[in-house]
Amino acid sequence: LDCITRDGLLLDVATVMTTSRVRVKELFGKDLPDGKSVFTVKFEVKDVDDLASIRKKLLNIRDVVGSRRGQN
């Protein structure tokens, strides 16, 4: 996830994952220069529709500005 850095952002991401009832394998956040952050979230989904639904919820978090699908 590409984000604008702010307090509570990690909690917001974790909350979305918890309420979506997905199994999180890894959740990692890193501050970058210029007030930006990047989060890596690895999780299990049932299918592509499930992935799309969770991605939409993550992108609806305030200050999340983008996402990319990674490798398995």
Side-chain angles (χ1 to χ4, degrees):
L1 299 171
D2 299 313
C3 309
I4 299 168
T5 301
R6 68 167 168 84
D7 290 340
L9 188 54
L10 179 61
L11 179 60
D12 290 347
V13 172
T15 299
V16 166
M17 301 309 290
T18 300
T19 58
S20 297
R21 303 182 64 80
V22 295
R23 185 173 185 178
V24 176
K25 298 288 198 169
E26 180 179 330
L27 178 55
F28 173 78
K30 181 177 179 180
D31 282 341
L32 301 174
D34 300 324
K36 297 180 182 175
S37 299
V38 65
F39 285 84
T40 300
V41 185
K42 293 183 181 180
F43 55 95
E44 295 178 1
V45 293
K46 293 176 271 187
D47 53 36
V48 177
D49 291 335
D50 198 22
L51 176 62
S53 172
I54 294 164
R55 182 174 182 260
K56 183 178 178 180
K57 290 175 186 177
L58 290 167
L59 288 169
N60 281 327
I61 297 172
R62 180 172 56 95
D63 296 322
V64 173
V65 296
S67 72
R68 292 182 300 277
R69 184 175 175 183
Q71 304 290 332
N72 289 348

Coordinates of all heavy atoms in Angstrom, one line a residue:
L1 N 0.8 -1.2 0.0 CA 0.0 0.0 0.0 C 0.9 1.2 0.0 O 1.8 1.3 0.8 CB -0.9 0.0 1.2 CG -1.9 -1.1 1.4 CD1 -2.5 -1.1 2.8 CD2 -2.9 -1.1 0.3
D2 N 0.6 2.2 -0.8 CA 1.2 3.5 -0.8 C 0.4 4.4 0.0 O -0.8 4.5 -0.3 CB 1.4 4.0 -2.3 CG 2.3 3.0 -3.1 OD1 3.3 2.6 -2.6 OD2 1.9 2.7 -4.2
C3 N 1.0 5.1 0.9 CA 0.2 6.0 1.9 C 0.9 7.3 2.1 O 2.1 7.5 1.9 CB 0.1 5.2 3.2 SG -0.5 3.5 3.1
I4 N 0.1 8.2 2.7 CA 0.6 9.4 3.3 C 0.7 9.1 4.8 O -0.2 8.6 5.4 CB -0.3 10.6 3.0 CG1 -0.5 10.8 1.5 CG2 0.1 11.8 3.8 CD1 -1.6 11.8 1.1
T5 N 1.9 9.4 5.3 CA 2.2 9.1 6.7 C 1.3 9.8 7.7 O 1.1 11.0 7.5 CB 3.6 9.4 7.1 OG1 4.5 8.6 6.2 CG2 4.0 9.0 8.5
R6 N 0.7 9.1 8.7 CA -0.1 9.7 9.7 C -0.2 8.7 10.9 O 0.0 7.5 10.7 CB -1.4 10.1 9.3 CG -2.4 9.0 9.0 CD -3.8 9.5 8.8 NE -4.7 8.5 8.3 CZ -5.3 7.5 9.0 NH1 -5.1 7.4 10.3 NH2 -6.0 6.6 8.4
D7 N -0.4 9.3 12.1 CA -0.6 8.4 13.3 C -1.8 7.6 13.1 O -2.9 8.1 12.6 CB -0.7 9.3 14.5 CG 0.6 10.0 14.9 OD1 1.7 9.5 14.5 OD2 0.5 10.9 15.7
G8 N -1.8 6.3 13.5 CA -2.9 5.5 13.5 C -3.2 4.7 12.2 O -4.1 3.9 12.1
L9 N -2.3 5.0 11.2 CA -2.5 4.3 9.9 C -2.4 2.8 10.0 O -3.2 2.0 9.4 CB -1.6 4.9 8.8 CG -1.8 4.5 7.4 CD1 -3.3 4.7 6.9 CD2 -0.9 5.2 6.5
L10 N -1.4 2.3 10.7 CA -1.2 0.9 10.8 C -2.4 0.2 11.5 O -2.8 -0.8 11.1 CB 0.1 0.6 11.6 CG 0.4 -0.9 11.9 CD1 0.6 -1.6 10.6 CD2 1.6 -1.0 12.8
L11 N -2.9 0.9 12.5 CA -4.1 0.4 13.2 C -5.3 0.3 12.2 O -6.1 -0.7 12.2 CB -4.5 1.3 14.4 CG -5.7 0.9 15.1 CD1 -5.6 -0.5 15.7 CD2 -6.0 1.9 16.2
D12 N -5.5 1.3 11.4 CA -6.6 1.3 10.4 C -6.4 0.1 9.4 O -7.4 -0.5 9.1 CB -6.6 2.6 9.6 CG -7.1 3.8 10.5 OD1 -7.6 3.6 11.6 OD2 -6.9 4.9 10.0
V13 N -5.2 -0.1 8.9 CA -5.0 -1.2 8.0 C -5.3 -2.5 8.7 O -6.0 -3.4 8.2 CB -3.5 -1.2 7.5 CG1 -3.2 -2.5 6.7 CG2 -3.3 0.0 6.6
A14 N -4.8 -2.7 10.0 CA -5.0 -3.9 10.7 C -6.5 -4.1 11.0 O -7.0 -5.3 10.9 CB -4.2 -3.9 12.0
T15 N -7.2 -3.1 11.3 CA -8.7 -3.2 11.5 C -9.4 -3.7 10.3 O -10.3 -4.5 10.4 CB -9.2 -1.8 12.0 OG1 -8.6 -1.4 13.2 CG2 -10.7 -1.9 12.2
V16 N -9.1 -3.1 9.1 CA -9.7 -3.6 7.9 C -9.5 -5.1 7.7 O -10.4 -5.9 7.3 CB -9.2 -2.8 6.7 CG1 -9.6 -3.5 5.3 CG2 -9.8 -1.4 6.7
M17 N -8.2 -5.5 7.9 CA -7.9 -6.9 7.7 C -8.7 -7.8 8.7 O -9.2 -8.9 8.4 CB -6.4 -7.2 7.9 CG -5.6 -6.4 6.9 SD -6.1 -6.5 5.1 CE -5.6 -8.2 4.8
T18 N -8.8 -7.4 10.0 CA -9.5 -8.1 11.0 C -11.0 -8.2 10.7 O -11.6 -9.3 10.8 CB -9.3 -7.5 12.4 OG1 -7.9 -7.5 12.7 CG2 -10.0 -8.2 13.5
T19 N -11.6 -7.1 10.4 CA -13.0 -7.1 10.1 C -13.4 -7.8 8.8 O -14.5 -8.3 8.6 CB -13.6 -5.7 10.0 OG1 -12.9 -4.9 9.0 CG2 -13.5 -5.0 11.4
S20 N -12.4 -8.0 7.9 CA -12.6 -8.7 6.7 C -12.4 -10.2 6.9 O -12.7 -11.0 6.0 CB -11.6 -8.3 5.6 OG -11.8 -6.9 5.2
R21 N -12.0 -10.6 8.1 CA -11.8 -12.0 8.5 C -10.9 -12.8 7.6 O -11.2 -13.9 7.1 CB -13.2 -12.6 8.7 CG -14.0 -11.9 9.7 CD -15.4 -12.5 9.9 NE -15.3 -13.9 10.5 CZ -15.1 -14.1 11.8 NH1 -15.0 -13.1 12.7 NH2 -15.1 -15.3 12.3
V22 N -9.8 -12.1 7.2 CA -8.8 -12.8 6.4 C -7.6 -13.2 7.3 O -7.3 -12.5 8.3 CB -8.3 -12.0 5.2 CG1 -9.4 -11.8 4.2 CG2 -7.7 -10.7 5.6
R23 N -6.8 -14.2 6.9 CA -5.7 -14.6 7.6 C -4.5 -13.8 7.1 O -4.0 -13.9 6.0 CB -5.4 -16.1 7.4 CG -4.3 -16.6 8.2 CD -4.2 -18.1 8.1 NE -3.2 -18.5 9.0 CZ -2.9 -19.8 9.2 NH1 -3.6 -20.7 8.6 NH2 -1.9 -20.1 10.1
V24 N -3.9 -12.9 8.0 CA -2.8 -12.1 7.7 C -1.5 -12.9 7.9 O -1.3 -13.4 9.0 CB -2.8 -10.8 8.5 CG1 -1.6 -9.9 8.2 CG2 -4.1 -10.0 8.2
K25 N -0.7 -12.9 6.9 CA 0.6 -13.6 7.0 C 1.7 -12.7 7.4 O 2.7 -13.0 8.1 CB 1.0 -14.3 5.7 CG 0.0 -15.3 5.2 CD 0.2 -16.6 6.1 CE -0.4 -17.8 5.4 NZ 0.0 -19.0 6.1
E26 N 1.6 -11.4 7.0 CA 2.6 -10.4 7.3 C 2.0 -9.0 7.1 O 1.2 -8.8 6.2 CB 3.8 -10.5 6.3 CG 4.9 -9.5 6.4 CD 6.0 -9.7 5.4 OE1 6.3 -10.9 5.0 OE2 6.7 -8.7 5.1
L27 N 2.4 -8.1 8.0 CA 1.9 -6.7 8.0 C 3.1 -5.9 8.4 O 3.6 -6.0 9.6 CB 0.7 -6.5 8.9 CG 0.2 -5.1 9.0 CD1 -0.2 -4.5 7.6 CD2 -1.1 -5.1 9.9
F28 N 3.6 -5.1 7.5 CA 4.8 -4.3 7.7 C 4.7 -2.9 7.2 O 4.2 -2.8 6.1 CB 6.0 -5.1 7.0 CG 7.3 -4.3 7.1 CD1 8.1 -4.3 8.2 CD2 7.7 -3.6 6.0 CE1 9.3 -3.6 8.2 CE2 8.9 -2.9 6.0 CZ 9.7 -2.9 7.1
G29 N 5.1 -1.9 8.0 CA 5.0 -0.6 7.5 C 6.3 0.1 7.6 O 7.1 -0.2 8.5
K30 N 6.6 1.1 6.7 CA 7.9 1.8 6.7 C 7.6 3.2 6.3 O 7.0 3.5 5.3 CB 8.8 1.1 5.7 CG 10.2 1.8 5.7 CD 11.1 1.0 4.7 CE 12.5 1.7 4.7 NZ 13.4 1.0 3.7
D31 N 8.2 4.2 7.1 CA 8.1 5.6 6.7 C 9.2 5.9 5.6 O 10.3 5.3 5.7 CB 8.4 6.5 7.9 CG 7.3 6.6 8.9 OD1 6.1 6.3 8.4 OD2 7.5 7.0 10.0
L32 N 8.8 6.7 4.7 CA 9.7 7.1 3.6 C 9.8 8.6 3.7 O 9.1 9.3 4.4 CB 9.1 6.7 2.2 CG 8.8 5.2 2.0 CD1 8.0 5.0 0.7 CD2 10.1 4.4 2.0
P33 N 10.8 9.2 2.9 CA 10.9 10.6 2.9 C 9.7 11.3 2.4 O 8.8 10.7 1.8 CB 12.1 10.9 2.0 CG 12.8 9.6 1.9 CD 11.8 8.5 2.1
D34 N 9.6 12.6 2.7 CA 8.5 13.5 2.2 C 7.1 13.1 2.7 O 6.1 13.3 2.0 CB 8.5 13.5 0.6 CG 9.8 14.0 0.1 OD1 10.4 14.9 0.7 OD2 10.2 13.5 -1.0
G35 N 7.0 12.5 3.9 CA 5.7 12.3 4.5 C 5.0 11.1 3.9 O 3.7 11.0 4.0
K36 N 5.7 10.2 3.3 CA 5.0 9.0 2.6 C 5.4 7.8 3.4 O 6.4 7.7 4.1 CB 5.5 8.9 1.2 CG 5.0 10.1 0.3 CD 5.5 9.9 -1.1 CE 5.0 11.2 -1.8 NZ 5.5 11.2 -3.2
S37 N 4.6 6.7 3.3 CA 4.8 5.4 3.9 C 4.4 4.4 2.9 O 3.7 4.6 2.0 CB 3.9 5.3 5.1 OG 4.1 6.2 6.1
V38 N 5.0 3.2 3.1 CA 4.6 2.0 2.3 C 4.3 0.9 3.3 O 5.0 0.7 4.3 CB 5.7 1.7 1.3 CG1 7.0 1.2 2.0 CG2 5.2 0.6 0.4
F39 N 3.3 0.1 3.0 CA 2.9 -1.0 3.8 C 2.9 -2.3 3.0 O 2.4 -2.2 1.8 CB 1.5 -0.8 4.4 CG 1.4 0.1 5.6 CD1 1.3 1.5 5.4 CD2 1.4 -0.4 6.9 CE1 1.2 2.4 6.4 CE2 1.4 0.5 7.9 CZ 1.3 1.9 7.7
T40 N 3.4 -3.3 3.5 CA 3.4 -4.6 2.9 C 2.4 -5.5 3.7 O 2.6 -5.6 4.9 CB 4.7 -5.3 2.8 OG1 5.6 -4.5 2.1 CG2 4.7 -6.7 2.2
V41 N 1.4 -6.0 3.0 CA 0.4 -6.8 3.7 C 0.3 -8.1 2.9 O -0.1 -8.1 1.7 CB -1.0 -6.1 3.8 CG1 -2.0 -7.0 4.6 CG2 -0.9 -4.7 4.3
K42 N 0.6 -9.2 3.5 CA 0.5 -10.5 2.9 C -0.7 -11.3 3.6 O -0.6 -11.4 4.8 CB 1.8 -11.3 3.0 CG 2.9 -10.7 2.1 CD 4.1 -11.6 2.2 CE 5.2 -11.0 1.4 NZ 6.5 -11.8 1.4
F43 N -1.6 -11.8 2.8 CA -2.8 -12.4 3.4 C -3.4 -13.4 2.5 O -3.1 -13.4 1.3 CB -3.8 -11.4 3.8 CG -4.3 -10.5 2.7 CD1 -5.4 -10.8 1.9 CD2 -3.6 -9.3 2.4 CE1 -5.8 -9.9 0.9 CE2 -4.0 -8.5 1.4 CZ -5.1 -8.8 0.6
E44 N -4.1 -14.4 3.0 CA -4.8 -15.4 2.2 C -6.2 -15.0 1.8 O -6.9 -14.4 2.6 CB -4.9 -16.7 3.0 CG -3.5 -17.3 3.4 CD -3.6 -18.5 4.2 OE1 -4.8 -19.0 4.5 OE2 -2.6 -19.1 4.5
V45 N -6.6 -15.3 0.6 CA -7.9 -15.1 0.1 C -8.5 -16.3 -0.5 O -7.7 -17.2 -0.9 CB -8.0 -13.9 -0.9 CG1 -7.7 -12.6 -0.2 CG2 -7.1 -14.1 -2.1
K46 N -9.8 -16.4 -0.7 CA -10.4 -17.5 -1.3 C -10.3 -17.5 -2.8 O -10.1 -18.5 -3.5 CB -11.9 -17.7 -0.9 CG -12.1 -18.0 0.6 CD -13.5 -18.0 1.0 CE -13.8 -16.5 1.4 NZ -15.1 -16.3 1.9
D47 N -10.5 -16.3 -3.3 CA -10.5 -16.1 -4.8 C -10.3 -14.7 -5.2 O -10.1 -13.8 -4.3 CB -11.9 -16.6 -5.4 CG -13.1 -16.0 -4.7 OD1 -13.0 -14.8 -4.4 OD2 -14.1 -16.7 -4.6
V48 N -10.3 -14.4 -6.5 CA -10.0 -13.1 -7.0 C -11.0 -12.1 -6.5 O -10.7 -10.9 -6.2 CB -9.8 -13.1 -8.5 CG1 -9.6 -11.7 -9.1 CG2 -8.7 -14.0 -8.9
D49 N -12.3 -12.5 -6.4 CA -13.3 -11.6 -6.0 C -13.1 -11.1 -4.5 O -13.3 -10.0 -4.2 CB -14.7 -12.2 -6.1 CG -15.1 -12.4 -7.6 OD1 -14.6 -11.6 -8.4 OD2 -15.9 -13.3 -7.8
D50 N -12.7 -12.1 -3.7 CA -12.3 -11.8 -2.3 C -11.2 -10.8 -2.2 O -11.2 -9.8 -1.5 CB -12.0 -13.1 -1.6 CG -12.0 -13.0 -0.1 OD1 -12.7 -12.1 0.4 OD2 -11.4 -13.8 0.6
L51 N -10.2 -11.0 -3.1 CA -9.0 -10.1 -3.1 C -9.5 -8.7 -3.5 O -9.1 -7.7 -2.9 CB -8.0 -10.6 -4.1 CG -6.8 -9.7 -4.4 CD1 -6.0 -9.4 -3.1 CD2 -5.9 -10.2 -5.5
A52 N -10.3 -8.6 -4.5 CA -10.8 -7.3 -5.0 C -11.6 -6.5 -3.9 O -11.5 -5.3 -3.8 CB -11.7 -7.5 -6.3
S53 N -12.4 -7.3 -3.2 CA -13.2 -6.7 -2.1 C -12.3 -6.1 -1.0 O -12.5 -5.0 -0.5 CB -14.1 -7.7 -1.5 OG -14.8 -7.3 -0.4
I54 N -11.3 -6.9 -0.6 CA -10.4 -6.4 0.5 C -9.5 -5.2 0.0 O -9.3 -4.3 0.7 CB -9.5 -7.6 0.9 CG1 -10.4 -8.6 1.6 CG2 -8.4 -7.1 1.9 CD1 -9.7 -10.0 1.8
R55 N -9.1 -5.3 -1.3 CA -8.3 -4.2 -1.8 C -9.1 -2.9 -1.8 O -8.7 -1.8 -1.5 CB -7.9 -4.5 -3.3 CG -7.0 -3.5 -3.9 CD -6.5 -4.0 -5.3 NE -5.7 -2.9 -5.9 CZ -6.1 -2.1 -6.8 NH1 -7.3 -2.2 -7.2 NH2 -5.3 -1.2 -7.3
K56 N -10.4 -3.0 -2.2 CA -11.3 -1.8 -2.2 C -11.4 -1.2 -0.8 O -11.4 0.0 -0.6 CB -12.7 -2.2 -2.7 CG -13.6 -1.1 -2.8 CD -15.0 -1.5 -3.4 CE -15.9 -0.4 -3.5 NZ -17.2 -0.8 -4.1
K57 N -11.6 -2.1 0.2 CA -11.7 -1.6 1.6 C -10.4 -0.9 2.0 O -10.4 0.1 2.7 CB -12.0 -2.8 2.5 CG -13.4 -3.4 2.4 CD -13.5 -4.6 3.3 CE -14.9 -5.2 3.0 NZ -15.1 -6.5 3.8
L58 N -9.2 -1.5 1.6 CA -8.0 -0.9 2.0 C -7.8 0.5 1.3 O -7.3 1.4 1.9 CB -6.8 -1.8 1.6 CG -6.7 -3.1 2.5 CD1 -5.7 -4.1 1.8 CD2 -6.2 -2.7 3.9
L59 N -8.2 0.6 0.1 CA -8.1 1.8 -0.7 C -9.0 2.9 -0.1 O -8.8 4.1 -0.4 CB -8.3 1.6 -2.2 CG -7.1 0.9 -2.9 CD1 -7.6 0.5 -4.3 CD2 -5.9 1.7 -2.9
N60 N -10.1 2.5 0.6 CA -11.0 3.5 1.2 C -10.5 4.0 2.5 O -11.1 4.9 3.1 CB -12.4 2.8 1.4 CG -13.2 2.8 0.1 OD1 -13.1 3.6 -0.7 ND2 -13.9 1.7 0.0
I61 N -9.4 3.5 3.0 CA -8.8 4.1 4.2 C -8.2 5.5 3.9 O -7.5 5.6 2.9 CB -7.6 3.2 4.8 CG1 -8.2 1.8 5.2 CG2 -6.9 3.8 6.0 CD1 -7.1 0.8 5.5
R62 N -8.5 6.4 4.8 CA -7.9 7.8 4.6 C -6.4 7.7 4.5 O -5.8 7.0 5.3 CB -8.4 8.7 5.8 CG -7.8 10.1 5.7 CD -8.4 11.0 6.8 NE -8.2 10.5 8.1 CZ -7.2 10.9 8.9 NH1 -6.3 11.7 8.5 NH2 -7.1 10.4 10.1
D63 N -5.8 8.4 3.6 CA -4.4 8.5 3.3 C -3.8 7.3 2.7 O -2.6 7.3 2.5 CB -3.6 8.9 4.6 CG -4.0 10.3 5.1 OD1 -4.3 11.2 4.3 OD2 -4.1 10.4 6.4
V64 N -4.5 6.3 2.3 CA -4.0 5.2 1.4 C -4.3 5.7 0.0 O -5.4 5.9 -0.4 CB -4.7 3.9 1.7 CG1 -4.3 2.8 0.7 CG2 -4.4 3.4 3.1
V65 N -3.2 5.8 -0.8 CA -3.3 6.4 -2.1 C -3.1 5.4 -3.2 O -3.3 5.8 -4.4 CB -2.4 7.6 -2.2 CG1 -2.7 8.7 -1.3 CG2 -0.9 7.2 -2.0
G66 N -2.7 4.2 -2.9 CA -2.5 3.2 -4.0 C -2.2 1.9 -3.5 O -1.8 1.7 -2.3
S67 N -2.3 0.9 -4.3 CA -1.9 -0.5 -4.0 C -1.4 -1.2 -5.2 O -1.7 -0.9 -6.3 CB -3.1 -1.2 -3.4 OG -4.0 -1.6 -4.4
R68 N -0.6 -2.2 -4.9 CA 0.0 -3.1 -6.0 C -0.1 -4.5 -5.5 O 0.1 -4.8 -4.3 CB 1.4 -2.7 -6.2 CG 1.6 -1.4 -6.9 CD 3.1 -1.1 -7.2 NE 3.9 -1.1 -6.0 CZ 4.1 -0.1 -5.1 NH1 3.4 1.0 -5.4 NH2 4.9 -0.2 -4.1
R69 N -0.4 -5.4 -6.4 CA -0.5 -6.8 -6.1 C 1.0 -7.4 -6.2 O 1.6 -7.1 -7.2 CB -1.4 -7.6 -7.0 CG -1.5 -9.0 -6.6 CD -2.6 -9.7 -7.5 NE -2.6 -11.1 -7.2 CZ -3.4 -11.9 -7.8 NH1 -4.2 -11.5 -8.8 NH2 -3.4 -13.2 -7.5
G70 N 1.4 -8.1 -5.2 CA 2.8 -8.6 -5.2 C 2.8 -10.0 -5.6 O 1.9 -10.6 -6.3
Q71 N 3.9 -10.7 -5.2 CA 4.1 -12.1 -5.5 C 3.5 -13.0 -4.4 O 3.3 -12.5 -3.3 CB 5.6 -12.4 -5.7 CG 6.3 -11.5 -6.7 CD 5.9 -11.9 -8.1 OE1 5.6 -13.0 -8.4 NE2 6.0 -10.9 -9.0
N72 N 3.4 -14.2 -4.7 CA 3.0 -15.2 -3.7 C 4.1 -15.5 -2.7 O 5.2 -15.5 -3.0 CB 2.5 -16.5 -4.3 CG 1.2 -16.3 -5.0 OD1 0.5 -15.3 -4.8 ND2 0.8 -17.3 -5.7

